[in-house]
């Protein structure tokens, strides 16, 4: 039983590290067409994620590999139930990689704008799909005792799933803005910090709405009510999110980004702790 718990923890940890690392890449990708006001600024934004974005996706492969190695039944049910969503996620990540590579080789201004647009669409799609997928896992998938999924891709686009998708987008945008502030100087750094102040408020509202609706759509709080000491995890999460805002106000972007990274890990583990010991709860029959 201890081995199962260790693998369960590692499964959650790998997803948390992936959200932490690729989260700021996705956030920057969404921001490029809007924050980069000139070709020079857009190049700066691409260069900010250039050395890292490809390596960060290794954590996604690792999370899938751990699921396959340690929980093969979960892997088979997850990848069959969420097949369309995961294929769209894969397609979005491929388009994102192609956009980064080919934009650098493009000489046409029109094509550069097209690649920027594809970078925005693919990054946004990936963020929404990741959030919606985990929102539906928290909520419970319509799977029977044989692991057969009774639904479609559109089943995933329910209010709670979409809310979690929006939450992920806001989380990655805030994380991305802070990364830009860390990696750049001058006007673009100032704009990133100013925008992160405004976006942080929207992000906080989204988290509060998520927490309010979670007891109505999921059973994530059952473990917390059973073992009240686990609420310390939630308290630490709130403190970390507040520290992000404090260091944004102090204009210390690296510390703000560091606490943003830690908050993403704790936000992820809020769901992982709530799920335990189930990895894919059923909305048809909890048993």
């Amino acid at each position: 039983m201890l081995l199962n718990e260790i693998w369960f923890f590692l499964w959650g940890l790998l997803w948390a590290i992936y959200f932490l690392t690729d989260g700021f890449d996705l956030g920057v990708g969404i921001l490029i067409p809007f924050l980069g006001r000139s070709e020079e600024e857009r190049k700066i934004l691409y260069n900010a994620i250039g050395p890292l974005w490809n390596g960060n996706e290794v954590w996604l492969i690792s999370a899938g590999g751990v699921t396959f190695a340690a929980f093969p039944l979960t892997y088979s049910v997850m990848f069959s139930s969420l097949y369309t969503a995961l294929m769209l996620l894969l397609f979005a990540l491929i388009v994102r990689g192609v956009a980064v590579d080919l934009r650098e080789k493009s000489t046409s201004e029109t094509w550069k704008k097209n690649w920027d647009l594809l970078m925005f669409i693919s990054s946004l799609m990936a963020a929404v799909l990741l959030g919606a997928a985990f929102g539906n896992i928290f909520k419970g998938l319509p799977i029977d005792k044989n692991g057969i999924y009774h639904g479609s891709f559109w089943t995933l686009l329910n209010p709670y799933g979409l809310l979690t998708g929006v939450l992920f987008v806001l989380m990655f945008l805030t994380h991305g803005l802070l990364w830009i502030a860390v990696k750049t100087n001058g006007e673009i750094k100032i704009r990133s910090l100013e925008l992160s102040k405004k976006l942080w408020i929207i992000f906080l509202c989204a988290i509060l709405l998520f927490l309010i609706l979670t007891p109505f759509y999921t059973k994530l709080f059952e473990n917390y009510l059973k073992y009240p000491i686990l609420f310390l995890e939630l308290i630490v999460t709130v403190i970390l999110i507040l520290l992000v805002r404090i260091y944004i106000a102090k204009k210390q972007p690296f510390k703000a980004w560091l606490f943003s990274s830690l908050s993403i890990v704790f936000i992820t583990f809020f769901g992982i702790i709530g799920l335990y010991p189930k990895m894919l709860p059923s909305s048809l029959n909890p048993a």
Side-chain angles (χ1 to χ4, degrees):
M1 187 64 181
L2 179 61
L3 188 60
N4 286 340
E5 292 167 349
I6 291 172
W7 279 112
F8 192 95
F9 171 79
L10 288 174
W11 177 75
L13 181 63
L14 286 170
W15 279 113
I17 294 174
Y18 171 66
F19 296 148
L20 183 164
T21 54
D22 212 30
F24 66 81
D25 287 351
L26 292 170
V28 174
I30 297 170
L31 290 162
I32 281 173
F34 309 103
L35 197 62
R37 295 180 179 177
S38 64
E39 176 59 21
E40 182 182 356
E41 288 188 345
R42 286 190 286 273
K43 281 185 177 179
I44 289 172
L45 294 175
Y46 276 104
N47 289 336
I49 61 172
L52 301 168
W53 72 269
N54 203 10
N56 289 342
E57 292 177 359
V58 171
W59 295 106
L60 176 62
I61 298 169
S62 300
V66 164
T67 311
F68 176 77
F71 307 102
L73 181 59
T74 297
Y75 179 89
S76 65
V77 175
M78 178 185 291
F79 278 75
S80 59
S81 302
L82 303 176
Y83 181 80
T84 303
L86 291 172
M87 285 302 296
L88 286 172
L89 173 62
L90 179 62
F91 181 71
L93 294 177
I94 290 171
V95 170
R96 199 164 70 104
V98 171
V100 171
D101 190 50
L102 293 186
R103 189 194 190 279
E104 186 180 348
K105 296 178 173 61
S106 298
T107 55
S108 166
E109 288 300 318
T110 301
W111 269 107
K112 285 182 179 180
K113 289 180 181 178
N114 289 338
W115 291 124
D116 290 342
L117 179 61
L118 286 172
M119 183 68 168
F120 161 73
I121 293 171
S122 59
S123 298
L124 180 63
M125 183 186 297
V128 171
L129 288 170
L130 284 167
F134 270 85
N136 278 277
I137 290 173
F138 297 155
K139 179 177 176 290
L141 295 169
I143 49 179
D144 61 23
K145 63 180 180 180
N146 297 315
I148 305 299
Y149 179 68
H150 295 269
S152 66
F153 171 73
W154 305 109
T155 306
L156 304 176
L157 303 182
N158 54 75
Y160 189 77
L162 290 174
L163 172 62
T164 314
V166 171
L167 176 61
F168 269 54
V169 171
L170 293 170
M171 181 169 69
F172 292 161
L173 281 173
T174 305
H175 201 44
L177 282 168
L178 294 173
W179 179 254
I180 293 168
V182 170
K183 298 294 287 184
T184 62
N185 292 300
E187 181 64 25
I188 196 167
K189 182 189 186 84
I190 295 169
R191 291 206 309 272
S192 298
L193 281 173
E194 287 301 314
L195 185 55
S196 65
K197 286 181 186 178
K198 299 173 183 176
L199 199 63
W200 182 89
I201 297 171
I202 303 173
F203 174 47
L204 181 64
C205 292
I207 287 180
L208 293 174
L209 182 60
F210 173 80
L211 290 174
I212 290 168
L213 294 180
T214 290
F216 297 98
Y217 283 95
T218 77
K219 296 183 178 180
L220 290 184
F221 277 107
E222 283 188 351
N223 283 340
Y224 291 87
L225 294 172
K226 188 175 180 181
Y227 303 103
I229 193 171
L230 292 175
F231 277 104
L232 285 173
E233 198 276 348
L234 195 55
I235 293 170
V236 172
T237 304
V238 173
I239 292 171
L240 289 170
I241 293 169
L242 292 175
L243 284 170
V244 172
R245 180 62 181 84
I246 289 170
Y247 282 104
I248 290 173
K250 290 183 177 181
K251 296 184 179 179
Q252 297 183 31
F254 179 74
K255 289 184 179 179
W257 182 83
L258 183 61
F259 284 115
S260 175
S261 300
L262 291 172
S263 71
I264 289 173
V265 173
F266 274 78
I267 288 169
T268 304
F269 268 96
F270 164 73
I272 299 300
I273 291 170
L275 279 176
Y276 182 82
K278 302 171 184 176
M279 297 184 82
L280 288 179
S282 170
S283 60
L284 299 179
N285 184 355

